[in-house]
Structure formats: structure tokens, C-alpha cells
Amino acid sequence: MSILNSSKLRHRISSEGNISRKRRRVSLLAVALGLTATVVASPPVVAKPGSPSAKPTTSPKHHWFEIGKASWYGGKFNGRETANGERFDMNALTCAHRSLPLGSWVRVTNLHNKRTVFLRVNDRGPMAESLIVDLSYAAAQKLGISGLGRVKIEEVSPNDEKMAEALEASLKPIGPPEWSMAKGLGR
């Protein structure tokens, strides 16, 4: 057999191998799609009354959260414009996050001491890739973070009644006792 013929034979065998490999992949994909369609199109199984599986189940509520490192910013940024257009106030309970909607509320928990605080997202950041959130100075103080801290961020969802109530309770102003007495609200 000449060199030219053996080269053609190798090319033919290799191209046939590619075709059969493609056919196998397509067949496998078709079977997978068929099984998926069968499961999706199957009618739901209805439990008979009185059976243990007939009891209604409540699925656990899932909500978004993120765990990572937090830092704080203040000082030289105080008074500068934030991403949402307001002036940064290092004494306000706010934070900067890369992707959460501006104006949304989050609950931040210091995982070291379990202190929590509700914050409004009003800026973009943090700039360091290793951090998940930049806290205002006031937020860091309430959480007990003096440098970096490990935190859990949870977005406040209107569907989560407990978290929404906790947020509302944290926002209620608590006036001095003299104010309550003057309005006739004390004692």
C-alpha cells in the first residue's frame, strides 16, 4: 500500500469515528430530553385522603443571603456623593454593595458576636474583591467591627413578615423620656 493510500485510509477512519461520536452524543441528548419531558409532563400523584402523604406540607422559605468579609468606610468619603445621588453620611446606617438594588434594605449579622443591624444600600462597592460589603462607620460600630469582620448579608424581602417586622421595629424613633411625658404618653 502506498503512503498516499494509507493517509487517505487514516483520514476516512478518523472522520467515521467523529461521525459515530456525534451520533452517540445526539442520541444521548435525545434520551435525556425525552426523560425530562416525561417527568415534566407526568400527571401529579394525588394522595388518598387519610394517608400520611395527604397532609399539606409547607416548603421552607428560601431567601437570598451572602457570607463574607466586610469593611467600613467613612472619614474622607463623608459628604461625597453616593451611587444613588445622596451625600454619604458616615453616621447613617447604610452600606455599599456591588449588585443589590440601590435603596433596598439588608440585615447584616456579625458572625463573630451575632450582633445584627438593618442597613439601606445607597452606594456601590466595595472596591476590594475579597470583600462583599462596605459598611458605614455607624453600621460598623453597631456590629462591633473595627477593621474587617465576617458577616452574613440577608436581603429584606416583603414576603418575609418576620424580617420586615424586625426592620420596622428598628426604624421606629425612640424619643427621650421627656418627650413622651410632654405628649402625655409616659407612665
Side-chain angles (χ1 to χ4, degrees), residues 14-116:
S14 110
S15 64
E16 287 175 0
N18 285 342
I19 291 171
S20 67
R21 200 173 309 131
K22 287 179 185 175
R23 284 183 185 154
R24 274 185 269 153
R25 286 182 183 165
V26 169
S27 298
L28 185 60
L29 180 62
V31 169
L33 287 174
L35 287 173
T36 303
T38 303
V39 170
V40 170
S42 298
V45 177
V46 179
K48 294 178 182 175
S51 70
S53 59
K55 296 177 183 170
T57 59
T58 56
S59 61
K61 292 182 181 178
H62 296 286
H63 62 274
W64 179 91
F65 70 92
E66 190 174 16
I67 295 176
K69 289 183 184 175
S71 66
W72 63 271
Y73 67 122
K76 70 178 185 177
F77 296 100
N78 201 34
R80 290 190 183 178
E81 192 172 316
T82 62
N84 71 353
E86 67 187 47
R87 297 278 172 212
F88 175 66
D89 178 2
M90 63 187 259
N91 297 309
L93 294 176
T94 59
C95 67
H97 193 273
R98 287 187 189 91
S99 59
L100 286 172
L102 294 173
S104 63
W105 286 87
V106 293
R107 177 171 60 186
V108 180
T109 304
N110 180 341
L111 296 177
H112 178 71
N113 61 17
K114 305 299 183 221
R115 290 188 195 171
T116 65

XYZ file of all heavy atoms in Angstrom, residues 14-116:
788
model
N -10.754 8.226 10.728
C -10.917 9.255 11.749
C -12.205 10.036 11.538
O -12.883 10.376 12.491
C -9.687 10.157 11.770
O -9.945 11.423 11.301
N -12.593 10.339 10.314
C -13.836 11.077 10.088
C -15.044 10.214 10.409
O -16.049 10.704 10.896
C -13.903 11.621 8.661
O -13.948 10.567 7.723
N -14.966 8.882 10.174
C -16.067 7.996 10.545
C -16.210 7.935 12.065
O -17.314 7.887 12.596
C -15.847 6.596 9.977
C -16.071 6.511 8.487
C -15.723 5.137 7.915
O -15.318 4.253 8.685
O -15.863 4.983 6.698
N -15.078 7.959 12.768
C -15.102 7.966 14.232
C -15.770 9.221 14.762
O -16.531 9.178 15.720
N -15.505 10.368 14.136
C -16.127 11.624 14.553
C -17.631 11.580 14.332
O -18.396 12.063 15.151
C -15.533 12.807 13.787
C -14.149 13.174 14.287
O -13.766 12.791 15.374
N -13.407 13.879 13.470
N -18.039 10.989 13.211
C -19.471 10.912 12.912
C -20.166 10.025 13.933
O -21.224 10.385 14.461
C -19.704 10.397 11.471
C -19.241 11.463 10.474
C -21.173 10.055 11.242
C -19.223 10.995 9.038
N -19.572 8.849 14.230
C -20.229 7.967 15.200
C -20.239 8.606 16.597
O -21.183 8.434 17.355
C -19.562 6.597 15.222
O -18.253 6.686 15.727
N -19.197 9.370 16.962
C -19.158 10.057 18.242
C -20.260 11.109 18.304
O -20.943 11.258 19.314
C -17.789 10.712 18.440
C -17.489 11.018 19.867
C -16.072 11.518 20.110
N -15.067 10.670 19.528
C -14.045 11.111 18.765
N -13.893 12.377 18.539
N -13.173 10.275 18.248
N -20.460 11.831 17.210
C -21.521 12.844 17.158
C -22.889 12.182 17.271
O -23.774 12.687 17.942
C -21.438 13.651 15.865
C -20.287 14.616 15.830
C -20.242 15.364 14.513
C -19.005 16.255 14.437
N -18.883 16.894 13.130
N -23.064 11.040 16.593
C -24.341 10.331 16.665
C -24.634 9.889 18.097
O -25.765 9.972 18.558
C -24.341 9.123 15.730
C -24.511 9.481 14.292
C -24.572 8.254 13.420
N -24.623 8.643 12.016
C -24.209 7.899 11.025
N -23.724 6.691 11.260
N -24.297 8.330 9.788
N -23.605 9.396 18.789
C -23.795 8.971 20.171
C -24.202 10.151 21.053
O -25.083 10.030 21.894
C -22.520 8.326 20.721
C -22.438 6.844 20.402
C -21.248 6.214 21.049
N -20.181 6.323 20.040
C -18.888 6.380 20.280
N -18.455 6.352 21.509
N -18.015 6.479 19.322
N -23.554 11.296 20.866
C -23.891 12.479 21.658
C -25.317 12.922 21.405
O -26.055 13.253 22.327
C -22.934 13.626 21.352
C -21.569 13.443 21.941
C -20.704 14.633 21.645
N -19.366 14.438 22.156
C -18.333 15.165 21.814
N -18.467 16.139 20.943
N -17.143 14.930 22.329
N -25.714 12.946 20.124
C -27.070 13.358 19.773
C -28.075 12.378 20.362
O -29.106 12.774 20.905
C -27.231 13.487 18.241
C -28.675 13.644 17.844
C -26.397 14.645 17.723
N -27.775 11.070 20.280
C -28.685 10.063 20.840
C -28.819 10.232 22.353
O -29.921 10.164 22.899
C -28.177 8.651 20.532
O -28.139 8.436 19.146
N -27.697 10.451 23.024
C -27.714 10.645 24.476
C -28.521 11.894 24.845
O -29.314 11.878 25.783
C -26.285 10.758 25.013
C -26.128 10.835 26.518
C -26.693 9.589 27.181
C -24.670 11.018 26.878
N -28.346 12.975 24.084
C -29.098 14.201 24.324
C -30.595 13.968 24.124
O -31.420 14.424 24.910
C -28.605 15.321 23.410
C -29.303 16.666 23.539
C -29.108 17.227 24.935
C -28.779 17.635 22.506
N -30.961 13.221 23.074
C -32.374 12.941 22.799
C -32.996 12.128 23.937
O -34.122 12.391 24.370
C -32.521 12.198 21.475
N -32.264 11.149 24.451
C -32.772 10.330 25.558
C -32.957 11.204 26.805
O -33.975 11.124 27.495
C -31.819 9.146 25.842
C -32.171 8.458 27.140
C -31.860 8.158 24.694
N -31.974 12.061 27.095
C -32.072 12.929 28.264
C -33.260 13.875 28.150
O -34.003 14.076 29.110
C -30.778 13.723 28.441
N -33.447 14.459 26.978
C -34.589 15.353 26.780
C -35.905 14.598 26.887
O -36.879 15.100 27.445
C -34.494 16.056 25.431
C -33.428 17.145 25.330
C -33.332 17.657 23.899
C -33.724 18.278 26.266
N -35.941 13.380 26.365
C -37.152 12.562 26.456
C -37.513 12.248 27.897
O -38.669 12.332 28.302
N -36.516 11.895 28.704
C -36.768 11.608 30.118
C -37.242 12.853 30.851
O -38.156 12.799 31.671
C -35.499 11.061 30.784
C -35.116 9.636 30.405
C -33.759 9.289 31.001
C -36.169 8.652 30.868
N -36.626 13.990 30.545
C -37.037 15.240 31.187
C -38.477 15.579 30.831
O -39.272 15.950 31.687
C -36.100 16.389 30.754
O -34.769 16.027 31.082
C -36.470 17.683 31.442
N -38.818 15.428 29.553
C -40.179 15.732 29.110
C -41.185 14.791 29.763
O -42.283 15.194 30.122
C -40.270 15.631 27.596
N -40.805 13.530 29.942
C -41.695 12.563 30.570
C -41.966 12.947 32.020
O -43.107 12.898 32.487
C -41.077 11.148 30.516
O -40.822 10.821 29.153
C -41.994 10.126 31.130
N -40.929 13.320 32.738
C -41.092 13.694 34.145
C -41.939 14.955 34.268
O -42.828 15.045 35.109
C -39.708 13.894 34.815
C -39.860 14.515 36.183
C -38.987 12.569 34.897
N -41.677 15.942 33.410
C -42.403 17.206 33.479
C -43.863 17.014 33.096
O -44.763 17.593 33.696
C -41.729 18.268 32.574
C -42.591 19.500 32.445
C -40.362 18.619 33.120
N -44.121 16.176 32.082
C -45.479 16.008 31.586
C -46.298 14.996 32.389
O -47.488 14.851 32.165
C -45.443 15.572 30.123
N -45.674 14.295 33.310
C -46.401 13.295 34.092
C -47.430 13.974 34.983
O -47.162 15.010 35.573
C -45.434 12.511 34.989
O -44.505 11.823 34.206
N -48.614 13.374 35.100
C -49.624 13.962 35.995
C -49.184 13.821 37.436
O -48.496 12.870 37.795
C -50.882 13.124 35.710
C -50.376 11.840 35.161
C -49.083 12.163 34.451
N -49.557 14.774 38.284
C -49.156 14.691 39.693
C -49.844 13.519 40.381
O -50.960 13.154 40.047
C -49.635 16.013 40.282
C -50.697 16.482 39.359
C -50.364 15.933 37.996
N -49.139 12.926 41.311
C -49.695 11.824 42.081
C -50.524 12.419 43.203
O -50.040 13.226 43.985
C -48.563 10.939 42.657
C -49.133 9.827 43.516
C -47.709 10.391 41.541
N -51.794 12.049 43.247
C -52.698 12.566 44.269
C -52.810 11.538 45.373
O -53.119 10.384 45.126
C -54.090 12.861 43.663
C -55.026 13.377 44.719
C -53.966 13.822 42.509
N -52.537 11.982 46.581
C -52.610 11.074 47.727
C -54.060 10.855 48.124
O -54.899 11.746 47.991
C -51.824 11.659 48.888
N -54.330 9.674 48.613
C -55.679 9.356 49.073
C -55.913 10.032 50.415
O -55.009 10.121 51.246
C -55.834 7.839 49.219
C -55.738 7.119 47.895
C -55.845 5.628 48.087
C -55.699 4.925 46.744
N -55.683 3.480 46.870
N -57.136 10.519 50.648
C -57.429 11.151 51.939
C -57.152 10.194 53.092
O -57.453 9.018 53.015
C -58.919 11.480 51.846
C -59.240 11.461 50.392
C -58.265 10.520 49.749
N -56.550 10.734 54.145
C -56.255 9.916 55.317
C -54.858 9.315 55.297
O -54.374 8.852 56.311
N -54.208 9.300 54.141
C -52.852 8.748 54.089
C -51.872 9.787 54.614
O -52.129 10.980 54.561
C -52.490 8.341 52.659
O -52.340 9.491 51.864
N -50.721 9.340 55.138
C -49.763 10.290 55.711
C -49.273 11.324 54.695
O -48.976 12.449 55.044
C -48.595 9.405 56.175
C -49.104 8.022 56.190
C -50.287 7.971 55.287
N -49.202 10.947 53.426
C -48.713 11.884 52.424
C -49.772 12.888 51.980
O -49.494 13.779 51.205
C -48.178 11.120 51.213
O -49.208 10.330 50.669
N -51.014 12.747 52.489
C -52.089 13.659 52.109
C -52.040 14.960 52.896
O -52.720 15.915 52.557
C -53.444 12.993 52.306
N -51.238 15.005 53.955
C -51.149 16.212 54.766
C -50.439 17.310 53.980
O -49.448 17.048 53.314
C -50.390 15.925 56.061
C -51.097 14.936 56.958
C -50.277 14.630 58.172
C -50.983 13.577 59.011
N -50.132 13.082 60.080
N -50.948 18.526 54.051
C -50.280 19.608 53.329
C -48.910 19.878 53.930
O -48.729 19.839 55.141
C -51.203 20.813 53.516
C -52.037 20.480 54.691
C -52.108 18.986 54.780
N -47.964 20.094 53.051
C -46.617 20.396 53.515
C -46.301 21.846 53.197
O -46.769 22.379 52.200
C -45.583 19.501 52.830
O -45.662 19.704 51.426
C -45.820 18.039 53.153
N -45.554 22.437 54.065
C -45.122 23.801 53.799
C -43.648 23.751 53.456
O -42.846 23.177 54.193
C -45.330 24.711 55.032
O -44.650 24.124 56.138
C -46.807 24.862 55.360
N -43.322 24.318 52.320
C -41.921 24.323 51.934
C -41.217 25.435 52.695
O -41.804 26.478 52.962
C -41.792 24.541 50.429
O -42.352 25.778 50.080
N -39.967 25.202 53.057
C -39.256 26.239 53.803
C -39.061 27.472 52.932
O -38.905 27.359 51.715
C -37.917 25.572 54.133
C -37.757 24.492 53.130
C -39.147 24.056 52.762
N -39.123 28.642 53.562
C -38.922 29.881 52.815
C -37.432 30.041 52.559
O -36.619 29.935 53.469
C -39.438 31.074 53.602
C -40.933 31.088 53.741
C -41.376 32.320 54.497
C -42.890 32.304 54.653
N -43.366 33.451 55.407
N -37.103 30.265 51.317
C -35.717 30.491 50.952
C -35.548 31.966 50.647
O -36.381 32.576 50.010
C -35.334 29.662 49.723
C -35.407 28.192 49.970
N -34.480 27.516 50.727
C -36.305 27.267 49.576
C -34.801 26.242 50.778
N -35.906 26.063 50.095
N -34.475 32.531 51.119
C -34.201 33.919 50.812
C -32.714 34.074 50.508
O -31.892 33.258 50.893
C -34.662 34.848 51.940
C -33.983 34.615 53.243
N -34.419 33.688 54.137
C -32.892 35.182 53.791
C -33.631 33.689 55.197
N -32.680 34.589 55.011
N -32.409 35.157 49.831
C -31.046 35.414 49.402
C -30.189 35.819 50.591
O -30.607 36.573 51.454
C -31.068 36.546 48.369
C -29.717 36.917 47.873
C -29.082 36.408 46.789
C -28.824 37.886 48.442
N -27.848 36.997 46.656
C -27.672 37.899 47.660
C -28.901 38.724 49.552
C -26.600 38.730 47.931
C -27.828 39.553 49.826
C -26.691 39.551 49.015
N -28.977 35.293 50.634
C -28.014 35.734 51.627
C -26.617 35.547 51.058
O -26.412 34.845 50.069
C -28.173 34.996 52.970
C -27.768 33.545 52.925
C -26.474 33.161 53.249
C -28.686 32.574 52.570
C -26.105 31.832 53.200
C -28.327 31.247 52.520
C -27.032 30.869 52.845
N -25.664 36.216 51.700
C -24.279 36.157 51.275
C -23.409 36.210 52.531
O -23.709 36.950 53.464
C -24.002 37.363 50.366
C -22.707 37.360 49.644
C -22.603 38.529 48.657
O -23.389 39.497 48.741
O -21.721 38.466 47.808
N -22.360 35.418 52.559
C -21.451 35.397 53.693
C -20.053 35.738 53.204
O -19.605 35.220 52.182
C -21.448 34.024 54.399
C -22.820 33.749 55.014
C -20.353 33.941 55.458
C -22.973 32.392 55.643
N -19.389 36.630 53.922
C -18.038 37.012 53.542
C -17.500 38.099 54.446
O -18.034 38.365 55.520
N -16.457 38.768 53.963
C -15.800 39.803 54.753
C -16.396 41.177 54.474
O -16.758 41.488 53.343
C -14.308 39.845 54.437
C -13.547 38.661 54.965
C -12.070 38.813 54.665
C -11.309 37.588 55.105
N -9.894 37.692 54.709
N -16.465 41.970 55.531
C -16.961 43.343 55.437
C -15.901 44.289 55.976
O -15.129 43.938 56.863
C -18.245 43.502 56.235
N -15.890 45.483 55.423
C -15.057 46.555 55.964
C -15.968 47.764 56.141
O -17.153 47.707 55.819
C -13.917 46.881 55.001
O -14.427 47.439 53.800
N -15.430 48.857 56.621
C -16.233 50.068 56.778
C -15.507 51.228 56.128
O -14.307 51.188 55.920
C -16.549 50.346 58.236
C -15.361 50.627 59.101
C -14.609 49.717 59.785
C -14.783 51.901 59.371
N -13.616 50.342 60.462
C -13.696 51.699 60.221
C -15.086 53.201 58.982
C -12.899 52.730 60.695
C -14.295 54.237 59.447
C -13.219 53.996 60.294
N -16.292 52.231 55.780
C -15.691 53.440 55.224
C -16.359 54.664 55.811
O -17.496 54.612 56.233
C -15.714 53.436 53.693
C -17.058 53.533 53.006
C -17.304 54.565 52.114
C -18.068 52.595 53.201
C -18.512 54.671 51.440
C -19.269 52.678 52.541
C -19.489 53.727 51.665
O -20.680 53.827 50.996
N -15.624 55.724 55.884
C -16.096 56.966 56.485
C -15.060 58.027 56.219
O -14.442 58.056 55.158
N -14.829 58.888 57.178
C -13.775 59.892 57.094
C -13.714 60.656 55.785
O -14.535 61.535 55.538
N -12.775 60.290 54.925
C -12.569 61.055 53.689
C -13.738 60.939 52.703
O -13.845 61.737 51.784
C -11.253 60.657 53.026
C -11.231 59.273 52.423
C -9.899 58.992 51.751
C -9.921 57.651 51.045
N -8.686 57.391 50.334
N -14.619 59.954 52.877
C -15.770 59.809 51.984
C -16.994 60.568 52.494
O -17.969 60.722 51.768
C -16.125 58.329 51.799
C -15.046 57.538 51.123
C -14.175 56.755 51.857
C -14.899 57.586 49.752
C -13.178 56.031 51.241
C -13.901 56.870 49.122
C -13.036 56.099 49.867
N -16.952 61.005 53.742
C -18.100 61.683 54.335
C -18.444 62.941 53.537
O -17.592 63.776 53.270
C -17.811 62.040 55.792
C -19.066 62.256 56.589
O -20.078 61.602 56.341
N -19.024 63.154 57.542
N -19.706 63.052 53.130
C -20.173 64.204 52.362
C -20.064 64.037 50.859
O -20.627 64.824 50.108
N -19.361 63.010 50.398
C -19.257 62.781 48.951
C -20.543 62.157 48.429
O -21.303 61.540 49.169
C -18.086 61.849 48.625
C -16.743 62.482 48.851
C -15.670 61.602 48.285
N -14.356 62.150 48.554
C -13.239 61.566 48.202
N -13.268 60.394 47.582
N -12.082 62.117 48.475
N -20.769 62.295 47.131
C -21.973 61.761 46.515
C -21.880 60.239 46.389
O -20.843 59.705 45.997
C -22.171 62.384 45.134
C -23.527 62.099 44.552
C -23.767 62.879 43.263
O -23.432 64.070 43.220
O -24.290 62.269 42.328
N -22.965 59.547 46.740
C -23.019 58.092 46.608
C -23.605 57.727 45.252
O -24.031 58.589 44.488
C -23.878 57.469 47.726
O -25.211 57.965 47.596
C -23.331 57.789 49.105
N -23.659 56.441 44.966
C -24.156 55.970 43.671
C -25.616 56.341 43.432
O -26.035 56.489 42.286
C -23.986 54.459 43.568
N -26.410 56.489 44.492
C -27.817 56.852 44.285
C -28.042 58.364 44.318
O -29.173 58.825 44.281
C -28.734 56.131 45.284
C -28.607 56.645 46.692
O -27.751 57.466 46.997
N -29.470 56.146 47.563
N -26.960 59.157 44.423
C -27.069 60.606 44.324
C -27.117 61.353 45.640
O -26.990 62.566 45.671
N -27.305 60.655 46.755
C -27.345 61.350 48.047
C -25.923 61.520 48.580
O -24.982 60.897 48.102
C -28.216 60.590 49.047
C -27.672 59.251 49.464
C -28.645 58.453 50.314
O -29.829 58.355 49.956
O -28.197 57.917 51.344
N -25.786 62.354 49.572
C -24.487 62.587 50.208
C -24.235 61.467 51.219
O -25.121 61.104 51.992
C -24.447 63.937 50.920
C -24.601 65.094 49.999
C -23.282 65.415 49.353
N -23.472 66.426 48.312
C -22.732 66.459 47.229
N -21.797 65.576 47.010
N -22.947 67.392 46.331
N -23.006 60.944 51.207
C -22.643 59.892 52.153
C -22.539 60.478 53.559
O -21.908 61.508 53.777
C -21.311 59.245 51.763
C -20.828 58.230 52.760
C -21.521 57.052 52.978
C -19.682 58.450 53.504
C -21.092 56.117 53.911
C -19.232 57.522 54.433
C -19.938 56.359 54.630
N -23.214 59.813 54.494
C -23.161 60.204 55.904
C -22.616 59.005 56.664
O -23.289 57.979 56.792
C -24.558 60.576 56.399
C -24.590 60.961 57.874
O -23.518 60.976 58.527
O -25.689 61.235 58.377
N -21.394 59.139 57.167
C -20.766 58.016 57.846
C -21.477 57.640 59.141
O -21.270 56.554 59.677
C -19.283 58.305 58.123
C -19.014 59.474 59.038
S -17.268 59.847 59.130
C -16.841 59.083 60.672
N -22.369 58.505 59.638
C -23.111 58.227 60.862
C -24.509 57.669 60.593
O -25.280 57.461 61.533
C -23.193 59.488 61.718
C -21.804 59.929 62.159
O -21.042 59.140 62.679
N -21.465 61.176 61.895
N -24.835 57.427 59.330
C -26.119 56.826 58.963
C -25.935 55.313 58.828
O -24.823 54.827 58.609
C -26.619 57.416 57.649
N -27.025 54.575 58.934
C -26.960 53.121 58.813
C -27.153 52.729 57.347
O -28.256 52.396 56.906
C -27.993 52.464 59.716
C -27.751 52.667 61.208
C -28.877 52.067 62.029
C -26.411 52.072 61.622
N -26.047 52.788 56.597
C -26.067 52.488 55.167
C -24.889 51.588 54.824
O -23.999 51.356 55.651
C -25.967 53.774 54.329
O -24.756 54.454 54.659
C -27.162 54.685 54.556
N -24.897 51.098 53.584
C -23.788 50.259 53.124
C -23.656 50.356 51.613
O -24.540 50.869 50.922
C -23.999 48.803 53.539
S -25.379 47.982 52.736
N -22.530 49.853 51.122
C -22.269 49.781 49.689
C -22.184 48.313 49.294
O -21.516 47.521 49.969
C -20.955 50.490 49.367
N -22.889 47.942 48.232
C -22.883 46.568 47.731
C -22.765 46.599 46.217
O -23.258 47.527 45.572
C -24.156 45.829 48.164
C -24.072 44.358 47.950
N -24.409 43.758 46.761
C -23.675 43.356 48.780
C -24.225 42.457 46.865
N -23.778 42.189 48.081
N -22.119 45.584 45.649
C -21.886 45.565 44.199
C -23.146 45.386 43.370
O -23.282 45.986 42.315
C -20.919 44.435 43.847
C -19.512 44.694 44.242
C -18.577 43.594 43.698
N -17.276 43.760 44.278
C -16.873 43.167 45.405
N -17.684 42.352 46.039
N -15.677 43.387 45.887
N -24.085 44.554 43.827
C -25.196 44.189 42.938
C -26.604 44.374 43.503
O -27.551 44.387 42.727
C -25.039 42.731 42.496
O -25.034 41.883 43.621
N -26.767 44.497 44.796
C -28.115 44.674 45.343
C -28.685 46.013 44.874
O -27.945 46.982 44.721
C -28.087 44.630 46.869
C -27.882 43.251 47.476
C -27.663 43.344 48.978
C -29.051 42.341 47.171
N -29.994 46.070 44.645
C -30.599 47.318 44.160
C -30.388 48.466 45.144
O -30.521 48.289 46.351
C -32.091 46.980 44.053
C -32.174 45.497 44.049
C -30.976 44.989 44.787
N -30.057 49.623 44.590
C -29.910 50.808 45.431
C -31.254 51.110 46.079
O -32.294 51.030 45.433
C -29.433 51.995 44.602
C -28.019 51.868 44.031
C -27.725 53.020 43.081
C -26.987 51.809 45.129
N -31.240 51.435 47.356
C -32.471 51.704 48.095
C -33.034 50.485 48.792
O -33.951 50.606 49.605
N -32.514 49.292 48.489
C -33.031 48.092 49.153
C -32.462 48.002 50.568
O -31.473 48.653 50.905
C -32.686 46.834 48.349
O -31.293 46.654 48.263
N -33.119 47.198 51.401
C -32.718 47.032 52.789
C -32.126 45.647 52.985
O -32.592 44.670 52.392
C -33.913 47.210 53.713
C -34.341 48.633 53.837
C -35.211 49.296 53.021
C -33.901 49.579 54.805
N -35.341 50.594 53.431
C -34.539 50.790 54.531
C -33.019 49.509 55.886
C -34.336 51.928 55.298
C -32.822 50.641 56.651
C -33.474 51.838 56.352
N -31.104 45.561 53.832
C -30.473 44.287 54.154
C -30.296 44.181 55.659
O -30.226 45.202 56.358
C -29.098 44.125 53.465
C -29.234 44.017 51.966
C -28.154 45.253 53.830
N -30.272 42.951 56.138
C -29.907 42.703 57.538
C -28.495 42.145 57.510
O -28.224 41.165 56.827
C -30.853 41.707 58.194
C -30.436 41.387 59.635
C -31.458 40.581 60.388
N -31.710 39.305 59.743
C -32.663 38.458 60.146
N -33.447 38.766 61.144
N -32.835 37.311 59.524
N -27.598 42.783 58.229
C -26.210 42.347 58.293
C -25.953 41.818 59.702
O -26.280 42.478 60.687
C -25.242 43.505 57.962
C -23.801 43.034 58.025
C -25.552 44.080 56.583
N -25.394 40.620 59.777
C -25.086 39.989 61.057
C -23.589 39.765 61.151
O -22.987 39.181 60.249
C -25.801 38.624 61.188
O -27.206 38.824 61.007
C -25.542 37.983 62.536
N -22.984 40.237 62.246
C -21.581 39.956 62.525
C -21.529 38.514 63.025
O -22.105 38.192 64.067
C -21.054 40.926 63.590
C -19.598 40.705 63.925
O -19.031 39.648 63.654
N -18.994 41.712 64.526
N -20.870 37.630 62.289
C -20.860 36.216 62.654
C -19.968 35.919 63.858
O -20.059 34.841 64.428
C -20.436 35.369 61.451
C -21.412 35.432 60.262
C -20.876 34.635 59.088
C -22.791 34.937 60.658
N -19.162 36.874 64.266
C -18.305 36.678 65.439
C -19.078 36.900 66.747
O -18.964 36.112 67.680
C -17.101 37.623 65.378
C -16.195 37.539 66.555
N -15.377 36.449 66.782
C -15.978 38.392 67.589
C -14.707 36.644 67.903
N -15.052 37.812 68.410
N -19.892 37.957 66.788
C -20.600 38.272 68.041
C -22.129 38.216 67.910
O -22.840 38.510 68.854
C -20.176 39.645 68.564
C -20.501 40.759 67.588
O -21.303 40.609 66.670
N -19.854 41.901 67.786
N -22.634 37.883 66.736
C -24.078 37.714 66.453
C -24.881 39.010 66.530
O -26.110 38.976 66.567
C -24.717 36.655 67.354
C -24.041 35.309 67.307
C -24.071 34.701 65.929
C -23.443 33.323 65.939
N -22.611 33.065 64.808
N -24.240 40.164 66.553
C -24.971 41.436 66.514
C -25.520 41.633 65.108
O -24.863 41.313 64.119
C -24.056 42.608 66.845
C -23.621 42.672 68.270
C -22.880 43.968 68.497
N -22.132 43.956 69.733
C -21.265 44.882 70.082
N -21.034 45.907 69.274
N -20.625 44.802 71.209
N -26.739 42.199 65.012
C -27.339 42.469 63.708
C -27.762 43.924 63.611
O -28.029 44.579 64.621
C -28.579 41.582 63.444
O -29.587 41.927 64.373
C -28.249 40.111 63.530
